[in-house]
Amino acid sequence: MTRRDAPPANRVIGLLALMAALGVGWLAAVSVAPNRIVPGSPLRAHEAAGWLGALALLLPLLGLAVLAWRPTRRRLWLALALTIGVVMALPAWLAVAALLNLDPGEPQARLGLGAGFWLLLFCLSLMVIELRTRLVLGAAAGWLLVAAVLAAWWLASPWLEPLALAREYRGRSGQFAGAVVDHLLLVGAAVGASLVLGALIALAMRRHPAVERVGLALLNFLQTIPSLALFGLLLAPLAWLSANLAWVNALGVRGIGWAPAFLALLGYSLLPMVRNTFVGLSAVDAGVLEAARGMGMSRAQVFLQVRLPLALPVVLEGVRITTVQAIGLAAVAALIGAGGLGTFIFQGLGQAAMDLVLLGALPILAMALAADSLLGALTRRLDTRIAPGATP
């Protein structure tokens, strides 16, 4: 390959590799604390694991920057293998740092993750996404990479016991499982109800233009209300209903708890659900509908067998947006006693324990990414199957 024919440098990989190397060299990789209360002492990579340990992180990053200079397909595959290898080796690096810096005589001593480590992990994640896009890897390959990384971290978990995040989890393992279930139930109920109600509103908007104008105006206005303010506005009416209506009280509806959280999430979820459903149903080609009527289909058959299947990818895109939004907003609902993973976030903020905050925030991030990936893949799959001339 001549110099003129060589592919242009991949600036994304090169810049991310240099940013990660800068973080490893200059920012604190970990922190060491004798207990949960005392703030940890920050340590850079070479201070935590020695110069050999620092080079074990820096050399692969510099290698990635070199590979990005002339990114042939073979070099891109090598860069992907190197990136995944570094991510899978990080638990071993943390185990070595814990062994070198924690006193075995202090059972409460813990190793925290510093800004340098998080920057390294963030840059490596973006590099994996970029390389997967460049190599045109399918969803199955992406999930296989995720499974390999999770397996490596799970296998190393016995040596990661001194991590502050792991210690926070062990102290609340029973509460954690219940918080995850509560979070998922709240999100699932809100998204499911918004799908049904949003579909009904979208159908009404298609029949009556006045409903479209008023409905979209109200839903847009609802989106402008801050979540905490909306929770507060719902407290008094729900408390009054619970006190004056026996059947409402029997359902467990109170001024605080799951009821105001569910109603607030439902309100925030309606706009993307209604808008996508309305757009999907309205965007179906009139010629396709006319052809269906010409084949003798009834009005209900045209809707169920033609219009709805063609609109389904757009509707699912609304479900994806709504689900990701609800997963994040459900964390705020912990402030009004709705439970969920937000409980750990606000407890950690109140106690100035950032690892407890991460115990609630990281699963929420993982849920949002998983929902986005799964629903996005399902949308693309349906879109491909429906597209003219596409093969399943």
Side-chain angles (χ1 to χ4, degrees):
M1 180 182 294
T2 65
R3 185 180 183 87
R4 180 176 295 178
D5 296 333
N10 189 312
R11 297 179 182 179
V12 175
I13 298 296
L15 181 61
L16 289 173
L18 293 177
M19 284 178 57
L22 186 64
V24 169
W26 292 98
L27 297 177
V30 295
S31 64
V32 177
N35 52 54
R36 185 174 184 269
I37 301 174
V38 178
S41 302
L43 299 175
R44 296 179 182 177
H46 68 277
E47 296 170 335
W51 285 106
L52 287 178
L55 288 175
L57 295 178
L58 286 172
L59 290 179
L61 297 174
L62 296 178
L64 285 168
V66 172
L67 291 172
W69 182 250
R70 287 289 182 265
T72 62
R73 187 168 181 82
R74 182 178 178 182
R75 290 185 178 183
L76 289 177
W77 275 107
L78 182 58
L80 180 62
L82 189 57
T83 305
I84 295 297
V86 174
V87 177
M88 295 176 69
L90 286 178
W93 191 91
L94 290 174
V96 171
L99 182 66
L100 293 176
N101 294 279
L102 296 182
D103 186 356
E106 295 182 356
Q108 298 300 320
R110 54 190 61 207
L111 190 77
L113 303 178
F117 180 88
W118 290 115
L119 178 60
L120 171 63
L121 193 59
F122 177 71
C123 290
L124 290 172
S125 302
L126 291 181
M127 280 189 267
V128 171
I129 295 173
E130 169 68 13
L131 290 166
R132 180 191 164 193
T133 303
R134 295 292 180 181
L135 293 169
V136 197
L137 301 181
W143 286 109
L144 184 62
L145 294 176
V146 172
V149 170
L150 292 179
W153 281 75
W154 180 75
L155 291 173
S157 57
W159 293 275
L160 298 179
E161 189 231 352
L163 280 182
L165 187 59
R167 298 205 171 206
E168 294 290 353
Y169 169 74
R170 280 196 307 276
R172 295 167 175 80
S173 57
Q175 302 173 29
F176 183 82
V180 171
V181 172
D182 291 343
H183 204 99
L184 290 175
L185 287 175
L186 183 59
V187 170
V191 173
S194 69
L195 177 58
V196 175
L197 187 56
L200 295 175
I201 295 174
L203 291 174
M205 288 167 54
R206 291 194 69 253
R207 283 180 172 272
H208 308 287
V211 175
E212 177 187 352
R213 292 191 299 270
V214 175
L216 288 178
L218 288 175
L219 293 176
N220 277 293
F221 172 73
L222 190 60
Q223 291 285 323
T224 65
I225 303 176
S227 56
L228 288 178
L230 186 56
F231 290 143
L233 290 173
L234 291 170
L235 293 182
L238 290 176
W240 183 89
L241 289 174
S242 177
N244 292 274
L245 297 176
W247 65 272
V248 173
N249 186 60
L251 290 174
V253 174
R254 303 288 188 276
I256 60 173
W258 68 269
F262 168 77
L263 291 176
L265 289 179
L266 175 61
Y268 283 122
S269 301
L270 280 176
L271 178 61
M273 199 71 78
V274 169
R275 184 169 52 198
N276 278 59
T277 304
F278 178 79
V279 170
L281 293 174
S282 302
V284 177
D285 193 296
V288 175
L289 299 175
E290 188 62 31
R293 295 189 192 99
M295 294 172 61
M297 286 187 176
S298 65
R299 190 171 183 176
Q301 287 176 323
V302 170
F303 179 81
L304 294 175
Q305 299 180 28
V306 179
R307 188 186 289 274
L308 185 59
L310 290 175
L312 198 55
V314 182
V315 176
L316 278 178
E317 184 67 14
V319 175
R320 182 186 67 82
I321 296 170
T322 299
T323 303
V324 174
Q325 175 181 276
I327 289 172
L329 284 175
V332 186
L335 284 174
I336 56 171
L341 291 165
T343 304
F344 299 130
I345 296 176
F346 293 109
Q347 285 180 359
L349 291 174
Q351 301 171 19
M354 293 311 298
D355 292 294
L356 184 54
V357 173
L358 290 175
L359 183 63
L362 291 179
I364 292 175
L365 176 62
M367 286 181 191
L369 291 174
D372 181 74
S373 298
L374 290 172
L375 291 172
L378 180 58
T379 301
R380 290 188 296 272
R381 178 66 173 170
L382 286 174
D383 209 9
T384 302
R385 293 176 68 93
I386 292 173
T391 55

